[in-house]
Amino acid sequence: MSQSYLESAEAVPEVRLLTPEDLRLVLFAGMRDFRRAPAFGLFFAATYVIFGWIILYSLTTSGNLWWILPAAAGFPILGPFIACGLYEVSRRLELGLPLHWGEVLGVILSQKDRQIPSMAAIVVIFFLFWNFLSHMVFALFMGMQPIVNISSSFESFLTAHGLTLLVVELLVGAVFASILFSITVVSLPLLLDREIDFVTAMITSVQVVQANPVLMLSWGITIAGILFFAMLPGFLGLLIALPVLGHATWHLYRLALD
């Protein structure tokens, strides 16, 4: 067995058991970090919101409003990458390090030479496959229906085929979201914080979920609910929700792993 493998194995953190009180604490810690460094939170969240506006504008002007549903369901998947900047801010606040824009952005840019791009590739593949599968589900349920303009004939979704389509889309989306949540919930802050390979980080993240299934389900539902309602007013709610959740995720990682 090689020395490098032994060093990697020794770096694997131990999984801790969490309590309901921990979820409350990490949310309060997330709000505290956002208040302590609001400019950073607003900057990273605004980047996410502007990207959302671009997607929405592109789909609207091209007449592809149907794709808003899968895009909206998959769009929060991209959140962890914007949150990497928030993790770094929380890390520095925790260690008492100064918050300089150049240093924070420099740490994020330096991730291109580490393991986070590999995680990014996996998440992008999940996102693209989800969109592809959504299109297939739409074709299966609505492909034989009379040709209508979906963007102006929303009553099509009130038919038996349309309602079944929505249910199936939600179920498929829930499965994809659950898998992706399990492999990323602590893996991204772990990769930012420690020298560890992305496969080990994903396995460790899944182990956290397995060790705390009810609490992590509650955390996933909390994140999904907050992001959903934050996206409704033109994505503007994300300017607050994303920084708080990003900082809170860092503190959840710190509690979940030794």
Side-chain angles (χ1 to χ4, degrees):
M1 188 176 296
S2 68
Q3 181 66 23
S4 61
Y5 176 81
L6 286 173
E7 291 173 353
S8 177
E10 291 172 355
V12 177
E14 294 184 5
V15 174
R16 295 172 177 169
L17 295 179
L18 301 172
T19 67
E21 177 67 11
D22 289 331
L23 297 187
R24 187 184 71 83
L25 290 176
V26 300
L27 277 175
F28 276 104
M31 290 186 282
R32 181 195 64 213
D33 284 0
F34 179 46
R35 289 196 298 267
R36 292 177 66 186
F40 288 91
L42 291 174
F43 170 77
F44 291 117
T47 302
Y48 189 79
V49 170
I50 291 171
F51 186 66
W53 285 342
I54 292 173
I55 291 178
L56 183 60
Y57 176 78
S58 299
L59 293 175
T60 303
T61 55
S62 64
N64 294 318
L65 285 180
W66 152 245
W67 283 99
I68 290 178
L69 179 61
F75 189 54
I77 291 173
L78 301 176
F81 298 97
I82 297 296
C84 279
L86 301 169
Y87 302 154
E88 175 61 15
V89 170
S90 286
R91 188 185 74 85
R92 287 173 172 267
L93 289 174
E94 182 179 302
L95 296 175
L97 298 175
L99 289 174
H100 299 308
W101 282 100
E103 293 179 355
V104 172
L105 296 178
V107 168
I108 297 170
L109 291 175
S110 69
Q111 300 306 310
K112 64 181 174 55
D113 300 319
R114 299 180 67 201
Q115 295 287 303
I116 286 183
S118 298
M119 281 296 301
I122 291 175
V123 172
V124 169
I125 289 172
F126 260 84
F127 181 70
L128 293 176
F129 187 69
W130 156 238
N131 276 274
F132 170 74
L133 192 59
S134 296
H135 200 182
M136 287 190 62
V137 171
F138 176 80
L140 286 173
F141 286 97
M142 304 295 284
M144 299 302 293
Q145 301 301 303
I147 298 177
V148 295
N149 185 349
I150 296 296
S151 63
S152 61
S153 302
F154 291 103
E155 63 271 12
S156 300
F157 292 108
L158 300 179
T159 64
H161 285 281
L163 292 174
T164 304
L165 164 68
L166 294 177
V167 171
V168 173
E169 288 280 13
L170 289 174
L171 290 176
V172 172
V175 171
F176 270 77
S178 298
I179 295 173
L180 201 59
F181 173 79
S182 296
I183 65 176
T184 61
V185 61
V186 299
S187 60
L188 282 168
L190 174 59
L191 289 172
L192 183 73
D193 190 39
R194 310 190 191 191
E195 291 296 338
I196 194 169
D197 66 275
F198 77 97
V199 175
T200 301
M202 288 192 298
I203 293 173
T204 302
S205 186
V206 171
Q207 289 174 340
V208 170
V209 175
Q210 290 176 335
N212 304 277
V214 176
L215 286 177
M216 297 312 292
L217 176 62
S218 300
W219 181 243
I221 292 174
T222 299
I223 291 176
I226 292 175
L227 288 178
F228 176 78
F229 287 107
M231 289 172 67
L232 292 181
F235 301 114
L236 292 177
L238 295 177
L239 292 174
I240 303 299
L242 269 183
V244 171
L245 291 176
H247 293 308
T249 299
W250 170 263
H251 292 285
L252 180 69
Y253 149 70
R254 298 290 286 149
L255 287 177
L257 298 178
D258 188 3

